[in-house]
Amino acid sequence: LALMLGVRVRALADNSQYNNKVFVAGLRKGCSEPDLRFAFERYGPVAEVTIIDDSAKTYKTRKPFAFVTFESVEDAQAAVSNHDVVEDDAGLRHSLYCDVRTAFPPKPRPRSESRKRRNVERREIISRLSSTELDFSDPSSVTPTSDVFVLQCQSSHASRLKEYLLHEWRIEKSHVGSPIDVVGTLDSGSSGITLILAVTVVQMPVATVAAFLAADPFVAPALNQVYLTERIPIEISSVDDIKSLASPLLDRLKFCAGDGSSVRIQTFPPSLSPQILDTIQIRCPDVVLSRRGYDWILSVVRVDDNDGKGTSYLIGMSEASAFTGNINARNNVISRAYHKLREALERYSARGVDRNPLQSIAGAIAVDCGAAPGGWTEFLIKNGCQKVYAVDPGNLSAETVKRKECVHLQMKASDAFPDILVLEKSKGNKSGLGVFVSDMCLHNLDGQVDMLLEARNVGLLMPRTLFVLTLKCVIGYSKSQYDYQVSREVERLSDFAIDVDTFHLFSNRSGERTVIGYLK
């Protein structure tokens, strides 16, 4: 009891400086310290008046406020209990202020442990990376140098890229298992960049695996950069002392000096580049540095910052010739939608389902709902569809409209279904269409499945019709919320569809999921 009373007394003592202080809210424009002092001295002697006016510093309009400190607690309580705010019949306030309340000390903010937790996670990843006990399928394939991939991507793509690399990516379709193992991911924080650290687990040079990775049509658009480094990090005691990296960097550059080979320096974060370039040019002037036409790539990646006490770097040299293509290389002539449908069907085929969707497209008649500007229609035509009904009130690209296989119906999908049915029956097609794809933007998530059901119920689609739907979540902000909402829609498909699968494609936005399957 004495201990509890002691704690209570100390708490009151800590707040004693606020017992004689009041908070004055909503000061009238032009209100000054003498005005407030005069207004509150009728309750008792005023020791101090402090006006806070930060309206010029903030983008929001906030009225100035003040703290008035009395010489006694009783006078402060009287000011809170007896203050008057004059209002006229219209409710307009004529007082110097809007309200007076007891002032309380600011609540201490709990110190965030996220930075500390992130540093611990980074240390664990680095420890595992440099350990010789990694669970490789073939440990003898790991070489002592440049056997680590550091993949830089946007944080929004990190989880799906990691899942794809672990479970779906193959250098050749005949290979069993992924050629790399993901050791961990490092979030760079406010920059929105994530680093994925991975190692090769196949008997193949890491640069060769990296070249296949950079050339993958689905992975490449999700990557910002690829760094090839060694597994053992270099520890530097001072964060700012980049010059400490000079010796290990020069050890890897010395065989390039004087033989005419050129080197490109790539760093993460990019702010490291100027300091490293200056150090190399001073300590090793014979090395030819170039951003184009280079023979070697020197990678320097900062992977750990231990609260200013030290920093860990991964560095490595790799031959530039190993990279056969540029990161983010993509045919810009065709829209993002084209690549979305391509990625969806190819990844669905790789799942080992009995049906090949590309074979289902060849020779089929398809309907593309929400077709504008024509990316999905282009893909269907180029992969053998004999006819595509492109349904969208908007305009298609000029190239797509000119194609003989394209029939553009500028109307809503529900209005177009009866017209398509009449057109097909007039040409002797009584069995229906074999492909239904929809990338429409709808206000409700369930609209895509409703549209597929409507087309099926009016007799537009034949049994075993291939369907591809983009479900666009409009509620929620997290991956788990989006996945839950989509799973509910997939449950609706279970009664009339088979071999249904869901993908979070690289071409999908955060709240989009692509659902593929066949009607029963």
Side-chain angles (χ1 to χ4, degrees), residues 329-498:
R330 174 181 275 191
N331 183 356
N332 293 322
V333 176
I334 305 175
S335 69
R336 181 178 68 94
Y338 181 98
H339 296 280
K340 184 192 294 186
L341 185 56
R342 174 189 173 188
E343 180 186 351
L345 296 179
E346 290 192 11
R347 289 180 63 176
Y348 182 79
S349 299
R351 290 286 177 94
V353 293
D354 296 334
R355 297 171 180 79
N356 187 331
L358 295 177
Q359 292 180 357
S360 302
I361 290 173
I365 301 176
V367 57
D368 179 8
C369 299
W376 284 26
T377 298
E378 283 281 346
F379 181 87
L380 293 172
I381 292 174
K382 289 185 177 181
N383 283 272
C385 267
Q386 61 171 296
K387 185 190 299 181
V388 179
Y389 288 100
V391 182
D392 198 302
N395 297 320
L396 299 181
S397 65
E399 292 184 3
T400 304
V401 171
K402 291 179 182 178
R403 296 189 180 279
K404 62 179 181 179
E405 299 91 346
C406 175
V407 180
H408 185 199
L409 301 178
Q410 285 191 282
M411 58 182 71
K412 294 182 178 180
S414 57
D415 297 331
F417 292 160
D419 292 351
I420 297 173
L421 195 60
V422 171
L423 288 172
E424 286 301 306
K425 286 185 176 180
S426 67
K427 297 179 180 180
N429 179 9
K430 298 181 180 180
S431 56
L433 279 58
V435 177
F436 180 98
V437 298
S438 178
D439 194 31
M440 291 187 295
C441 293
L442 300 172
H443 295 294
N444 298 318
L445 177 65
D446 56 3
Q448 294 283 32
V449 175
D450 291 343
M451 202 63 64
L452 174 64
L453 284 173
E454 182 178 346
R456 172 180 175 269
N457 293 337
V458 299
L460 182 62
L461 306 178
M462 65 174 64
R464 301 296 188 270
T465 289
L466 167 69
F467 63 85
V468 182
L469 310 175
T470 301
L471 302 187
K472 304 181 181 183
C473 302
V474 295
I475 299 175
Y477 297 95
S478 67
K479 179 179 181 298
S480 59
Q481 289 177 321
Y482 298 146
D483 290 340
Y484 173 73
Q485 294 174 58
V486 171
S487 67
R488 297 290 299 272
E489 292 302 304
V490 172
E491 287 180 9
R492 294 177 59 198
L493 293 169
S494 60
D495 293 334
F496 58 89
I498 57 175

Side-chain angles (χ1 to χ4, degrees), residues 41-61:
E41 280 182 341
R42 57 179 166 168
Y43 303 110
V46 175
E48 184 182 11
V49 175
T50 304
I51 295 179
I52 309 297
D53 184 3
D54 57 357
S55 58
K57 299 179 182 179
T58 60
Y59 65 91
K60 293 183 179 179
T61 302

Side-chain angles (χ1 to χ4, degrees), residues 177 190 194 225 284 311 320-321 389 417 450 502:
S190 59
T194 295
Q225 190 61 270
C284 195
T311 310
S321 58
Y389 288 100
F417 292 160
D450 291 343
T502 304

Side-chain angles (χ1 to χ4, degrees), residues 4-237:
M4 294 175 61
L5 289 175
V7 172
R8 176 61 176 167
V9 169
R10 285 197 299 272
L12 291 175
D14 292 339
N15 292 342
S16 61
Q17 58 175 318
Y18 290 90
N19 293 338
N20 61 338
K21 181 182 290 188
V22 297
F23 170 70
V24 185
L27 299 185
R28 191 177 67 189
K29 185 177 180 181
C31 179
S32 64
E33 179 181 334
D35 294 334
L36 285 177
R37 186 178 291 273
F38 178 79
F40 282 94
E41 280 182 341
R42 57 179 166 168
Y43 303 110
V46 175
E48 184 182 11
V49 175
T50 304
I51 295 179
I52 309 297
D53 184 3
D54 57 357
S55 58
K57 299 179 182 179
T58 60
Y59 65 91
K60 293 183 179 179
T61 302
R62 182 171 65 175
K63 287 187 175 183
F65 57 93
F67 292 99
V68 177
T69 304
F70 290 87
E71 293 184 358
S72 69
V73 175
E74 292 76 11
D75 294 340
Q77 293 175 348
V80 173
S81 304
N82 302 320
H83 76 91
D84 55 343
V85 177
V86 182
E87 296 184 359
D88 59 18
D89 295 338
L92 299 176
R93 297 172 183 264
H94 296 285
S95 178
L96 289 173
Y97 48 83
C98 295
D99 194 12
V100 177
R101 298 191 292 268
T102 302
F104 293 100
K107 294 181 180 179
R109 294 184 178 181
R111 186 173 180 178
S112 175
E113 297 292 330
S114 60
R115 182 181 178 86
K116 182 178 179 180
R117 185 170 57 253
R118 185 166 63 246
N119 285 334
V120 171
E121 293 173 352
R122 291 186 175 209
R123 286 293 176 184
E124 291 175 350
I125 291 172
I126 292 173
S127 176
R128 182 170 182 246
L129 189 66
S130 57
S131 172
T132 58
E133 299 179 358
L134 289 170
D135 186 18
F136 296 144
S137 59
D138 184 7
S140 63
S141 67
V142 181
T143 59
T145 59
S146 296
D147 55 3
V148 173
F149 303 92
V150 182
L151 310 177
Q152 177 191 335
C153 67
Q154 296 297 319
S155 298
S156 58
H157 282 77
S159 61
R160 46 186 139 164
L161 179 58
K162 177 182 175 181
E163 291 298 315
Y164 178 76
L165 293 176
L166 284 174
H167 303 298
E168 296 186 49
W169 185 58
R170 306 288 185 270
I171 293 179
E172 299 291 344
K173 292 184 178 180
S174 59
H175 288 180
V176 177
S178 175
I180 64 177
D181 176 32
V182 175
V183 178
T185 60
L186 303 177
D187 189 355
S188 64
S190 59
S191 65
I193 299 295
T194 295
L195 300 179
I196 299 178
L197 276 63
V199 292
T200 179
V201 295
V202 294
Q203 291 183 337
M204 185 179 294
V206 66
T208 303
V209 179
F212 280 107
L213 187 65
D216 186 285
F218 309 140
V219 174
L223 291 177
N224 296 345
Q225 190 61 270
V226 176
Y227 309 89
L228 302 184
T229 71
E230 303 165 16
R231 278 181 23 223
I232 307 300
I234 296 175
E235 304 286 343
I236 295 180
S237 58

